[in-house]
Amino acid sequence: DARVTQTPRHKVTEMGQEVTMRCQPILGHNTVFWYRQTMMQGLELLAYFRNRAPLDDSGMPKDRFSAEMPDATLATLKIQPSEPRDSAVYFCASGWLIGGEKRKNEQFFGPGTRLTVL
Amino acid sequence: DAKTTQPPSMDCAEGRAANLPCNHSTISGNEYVYWYRQIHSQGPQYIIHGLKNNETNEMASLIITEDRKSSTLILPHATLRDTAVYYCIVRVTDFGNEKLTFGTGTRLTIIP
């Protein structure tokens, strides 16, 4: 049963430290998403990639966040420097998304990385 | 993408059908209705989607009104494992426009 995997599952760090979260999308999927979930803001899209190329990162704070896909099996989300307001659960999702009426365009979510910045 | 309105919470007895409503009165002709759910501490999970016809799969049924301004997700025989937050999302499915915009959803609690 193919799944999206994320590491680490939990991360506690101090303000100012660099944080890197990793995601392994489902093999063969062409689109990878990063979402963030907080109690106040709910689930919000940060960025997404198709075929490893960034398509939309308008939801991401540009000054401290960066997202990359070094290869088709790895997506990374980096925060430098981290701040307490970055504390959240970060979800990665992947899908085989090609648009069109008859396509499901389903996104498969990973278990998330719970980040706490002290 | 069109905005959706869902009740914040609902209860349903175990074994009964759970009917979750969603209003999307500003939906456009090319926008689909998607449902996802999020069980506590897990990532969201796709349930079902539709355009204008009613849809059914192994998890649920989706009933869309003729004017498409509202829809209902039906879980036919709710179990305790169906306790989750359910999100109704309206979006186009064009290539290059794959964003999911999650609202606050409905917190469904299945009562034993």
Side-chain angles (χ1 to χ4, degrees):
Chain A
D1 197 19
R3 298 185 182 191
V4 175
T5 58
Q6 292 186 244
T7 56
R9 293 293 310 277
H10 302 272
K11 176 72 176 179
V12 180
T13 191
E14 293 188 345
M15 183 174 63
Q17 296 298 305
E18 178 178 299
V19 175
T20 299
M21 290 168 272
R22 294 177 174 80
C23 166
Q24 182 173 6
I26 293 173
L27 189 64
H29 280 182
N30 66 343
T31 311
V32 175
F33 303 80
W34 282 105
Y35 291 86
R36 175 172 64 181
Q37 185 170 35
T38 62
M39 290 293 293
M40 294 298 295
Q41 300 295 327
L43 261 168
E44 50 185 354
L45 178 70
L46 296 176
Y48 76 101
F49 297 76
R50 169 167 296 108
N51 297 323
R52 297 175 54 201
L55 277 193
D56 186 343
D57 62 0
S58 58
M60 205 163 64
K62 299 293 190 300
D63 55 340
R64 299 181 299 107
F65 284 59
S66 62
E68 297 179 345
M69 280 201 73
D71 60 61
T73 65
L74 177 64
T76 62
L77 179 65
K78 188 175 297 186
I79 308 174
Q80 168 62 20
S82 58
E83 298 180 0
R85 59 179 168 155
D86 301 329
S87 297
V89 180
Y90 291 81
F91 289 103
C92 174
S94 73
W96 174 247
L97 304 183
I98 57 173
E101 180 176 334
K102 299 190 188 304
R103 303 298 178 183
K104 186 187 294 186
N105 292 311
E106 175 181 356
Q107 295 183 25
F108 294 81
F109 284 75
T113 294
R114 181 174 296 277
L115 173 66
T116 302
V117 183
L118 303 174
Chain B
D1 292 339
K3 181 179 172 60
T4 62
T5 304
Q6 299 177 253
S9 64
M10 292 180 62
D11 293 338
C12 178
E14 186 178 16
R16 305 297 295 267
N19 296 279
L20 292 91
C22 180
N23 285 323
H24 31 79
S25 58
T26 60
I27 192 170
S28 300
N30 62 344
E31 288 182 308
Y32 286 69
V33 180
Y34 278 74
W35 284 85
Y36 278 73
R37 74 179 181 183
Q38 186 174 22
I39 296 170
H40 182 62
S41 299
Q42 298 181 21
Q45 175 191 24
Y46 167 86
I47 301 173
I48 199 168
H49 82 290
L51 182 64
K52 52 187 175 183
N53 297 319
N54 298 338
E55 302 287 345
T56 295
N57 64 19
E58 66 279 3
M59 290 182 69
S61 294
L62 174 61
I63 308 298
I64 302 174
T65 58
E66 194 170 339
D67 63 8
R68 303 207 325 121
K69 293 185 177 182
S70 65
S71 60
T72 301
L73 177 74
I74 301 172
L75 308 178
H77 305 287
T79 71
L80 298 178
R81 289 175 295 180
D82 293 321
T83 292
V85 178
Y86 287 76
Y87 297 98
C88 171
I89 301 166
V90 174
R91 57 178 285 253
V92 296
T93 60
D94 293 342
F95 192 69
N97 186 13
E98 294 85 359
K99 292 165 61 170
L100 288 177
T101 302
F102 290 85
T104 54
T106 295
R107 183 173 298 278
L108 175 67
T109 302
I110 306 302
I111 310 296

